[in-house]
């Protein structure tokens, strides 16, 4: 039985990820501000929380306050990335679209820019990583998903599809070092994740 840490594992997306992992027979540590063990990304994470983990998924909504968003989504993720790199723990980060075009949503630009700095800190850390960028999230069942790279699209995506992608990436080395976006697309077939990951371009 493998152990996985899901940061934000009590949230709407994180809970789906945790459920898939526990349903697969794995031990899940769902860490959040309101859980036990508690983990607030605006503070310094305790390295002991990750001892023995074979993978980490980060699925956290950014605080609305710009300073708190910077602390959590940049510095908090950078701190986890440092631990993961040191202990050779793969990380899957659930991020968002618009990271390369924050001006499209000026009301959210501080949070988007903090997320972008967190993404880059993870890339620069030396940890094995995958970055999943959902489009606007909804709670309806997944009805097909389109995978893109380049952060140019618009749309929505089911949290179920995001959870499926994040869990698949944890177990597939072909997903390592890659960033991709997810969109609902009823005309797309159900993803064969190994084939999808193998076809993606690695980050530069």
């Amino acid at each position: 039985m493998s152990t996985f840490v899901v940061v934000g594992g009590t949230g709407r997306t994180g809970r789906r990820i945790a459920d898939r992992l526990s349903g697969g027979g794995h031990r899940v540590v769902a860490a959040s501000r309101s859980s036990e063990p508690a983990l607030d990304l605006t503070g310094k994470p305790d390295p002991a929380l990750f001892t023995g983990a074979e993978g980490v998924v980060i699925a956290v909504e950014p605080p609305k306050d710009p300073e708190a968003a910077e602390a959590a989504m940049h510095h908090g993720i950078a701190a986890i990335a440092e631990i993961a790199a040191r202990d050779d723990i793969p990380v899957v980060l659930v991020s968002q679209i618009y990271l390369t075009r924050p001006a499209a949503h000026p009301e959210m630009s501080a949070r988007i820019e903090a997320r972008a700095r967190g993404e880059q800190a993870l890339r620069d850390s030396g940890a094995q990583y995958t970055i999943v960028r959902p489009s606007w999230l909804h709670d309806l069942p997944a009805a097909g998903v389109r995978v893109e790279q380049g952060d140019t699209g618009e749309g929505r995506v089911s949290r179920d599809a995001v959870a499926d992608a994040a869990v698949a990436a944890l177990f597939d080395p072909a997903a390592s070092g890659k960033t991709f976006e997810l969109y609902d697309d009823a005309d797309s077939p159900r993803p064969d994740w190994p084939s999808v990951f193998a076809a993606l371009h690695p980050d530069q």
Side-chain angles (χ1 to χ4, degrees), residues 112-180:
I112 292 171
E113 289 165 358
R115 274 199 189 272
R117 286 187 283 270
E119 280 194 4
Q120 195 57 46
L122 177 58
R123 294 188 187 98
D124 293 342
S125 69
Q128 179 181 322
Y129 74 88
T130 305
I131 298 173
V132 183
R133 288 175 171 171
S135 45
W136 300 112
L137 292 161
H138 66 78
D139 295 326
L140 298 174
V145 63
R146 184 175 75 257
V147 180
E148 294 185 359
Q149 290 183 287
D151 191 25
T152 61
E154 305 281 348
R156 305 172 72 220
V157 70
S158 168
R159 293 180 191 273
D160 286 334
V162 177
D164 290 341
V167 171
L170 267 180
F171 295 96
D172 194 335
S176 182
K178 296 176 180 179
T179 300
F180 60 92

Side-chain angles (χ1 to χ4, degrees), residues 5 21 32 34 36 45-46 48 58-59 63 70 90 104 107 116 120 135 173 180 199:
V5 178
L21 289 168
S32 68
S34 59
E36 182 58 44
D46 181 359
I58 305 172
E70 178 71 10
E107 76 284 1
Q120 195 57 46
S135 45
F180 60 92

Side-chain angles (χ1 to χ4, degrees), residues 60-82:
V60 178
E61 289 295 318
K64 292 184 179 180
D65 175 74
E67 289 188 8
E70 178 71 10
M73 309 314 295
H74 177 196
H75 299 295
I77 287 171
I80 292 176
E82 181 180 350

Side-chain angles (χ1 to χ4, degrees), residues 11 14 16 25-26 28 30 65 76 85 89 98 100 117 119 121 125 155 162 170 179 181 203:
R16 287 168 164 83
H26 303 290
V28 177
D65 175 74
I89 305 171
Y98 297 113
T100 65
R117 286 187 283 270
E119 280 194 4
S125 69
V162 177
L170 267 180
T179 300
E181 295 86 47
D203 294 344

